[in-house]
Amino acid sequence: MAGAVPSESRLRADARRNSEQIRSAAIGAFQGQGLTVPLEEVAKAAGVSKATIFNRFGGRIGLIEAVIEEVVARELFAVIDHTRTIDDIGERIAYYLTAIRDLQYRQPAFNDVLLQTYPHSPQLMEICRVGSEANEELIAAARTSGALRPEFTADDLHALVVDNALALKHGKRPPRDDYDRRTTYILDGIRGCPSAADRR
């Protein structure tokens, strides 16, 4: 009947649909442009108003936390888990650093997490904590085995990753071939020096 008030179930269904549209739009926008993308762009892609994002998610932080698993965390944690399955420490280092730099190149949102762009987000800070623990675990094992230069530390690895995040976020994006070539240079630079016996 014309002019009838929508039922409560209809309103709930509309709210769920709006929320899913916003989530989908946010995942695409964050993966493509990073976590700082204007919310107006997310709202436009979702076909809703910016006010609807605030009504459903409480603002940017709430929206980030609603989708960060799909945007960053799931893939990062998969990299960390796979790294731990690699027996050879040299291969483990090469895989981990290459995979992290690949994730940085493909996912601008990952660089925002590394740079702690939104420090008031508990989920983003937890991702940073897990990443830091993985770095420390890897470097400790590698230094014990002699696979890394003895002076190379977890702080050095953190600095390399953060410096790369800054360059990708604020600098000119390099061609992929150049980027991958520089990853090789980094790996060559941090590896331990072979002993005289190894060089024979």
Side-chain angles (χ1 to χ4, degrees):
M1 184 173 64
V5 177
S7 67
E8 184 176 347
S9 60
R10 170 67 182 276
L11 291 174
R12 285 200 298 267
D14 289 345
R16 285 195 299 269
R17 183 173 62 252
N18 285 343
S19 294
E20 287 308 309
Q21 288 172 339
I22 294 167
R23 280 177 50 85
S24 178
I27 290 170
F30 291 158
Q31 288 181 333
Q33 301 179 61
L35 301 180
T36 60
V37 63
L39 290 184
E40 289 84 358
E41 292 189 25
V42 177
K44 183 177 180 181
V48 301
S49 68
K50 183 178 175 181
T52 302
I53 294 178
F54 279 82
N55 289 338
R56 298 286 180 265
F57 297 94
R60 183 182 298 275
I61 298 296
L63 181 58
I64 288 172
E65 295 200 331
V67 300
I68 197 62
E69 180 178 355
E70 292 94 326
V71 175
V72 167
R74 185 178 298 165
E75 191 168 3
L76 172 62
F77 295 162
V79 166
I80 292 171
D81 288 343
H82 183 70
T83 298
R84 290 172 173 152
T85 70
I86 301 173
D87 292 330
D88 183 84
I89 189 63
E91 293 179 6
R92 200 184 311 166
I93 294 165
Y95 169 77
Y96 182 74
L97 185 58
T98 300
I100 291 297
R101 282 178 56 86
D102 172 66
L103 187 54
Q104 287 187 272
Y105 192 87
R106 293 185 293 101
Q107 294 281 23
F110 183 44
N111 294 316
D112 287 321
V113 173
L114 290 169
L115 296 172
Q116 299 187 8
T117 304
Y118 297 104
H120 299 301
S121 166
Q123 287 193 39
L124 265 60
M125 293 302 97
E126 176 63 11
I127 293 171
C128 290
R129 185 193 66 77
V130 172
S132 293
E133 286 188 353
N135 287 353
E136 292 170 3
E137 174 187 314
L138 178 65
I139 298 304
R143 293 182 71 188
T144 299
S145 71
L148 289 177
R149 297 169 66 100
E151 69 274 21
F152 190 80
T153 67
D155 286 343
D156 292 325
L157 177 57
H158 177 75
L160 286 174
V161 173
V162 170
D163 287 350
N164 189 45
L166 287 167
L168 289 170
K169 185 171 180 64
H170 300 294
K172 183 178 179 180
R173 186 180 181 84
R176 184 67 200 235
D177 288 347
D178 290 344
Y179 184 83
D180 290 342
R181 179 165 48 86
R182 290 162 191 158
T183 299
T184 301
Y185 294 156
I186 292 170
L187 285 168
D188 289 345
I190 67 176
R191 286 190 175 107
C193 297
S195 66
D198 291 335
R199 290 194 294 268
R200 289 172 189 165

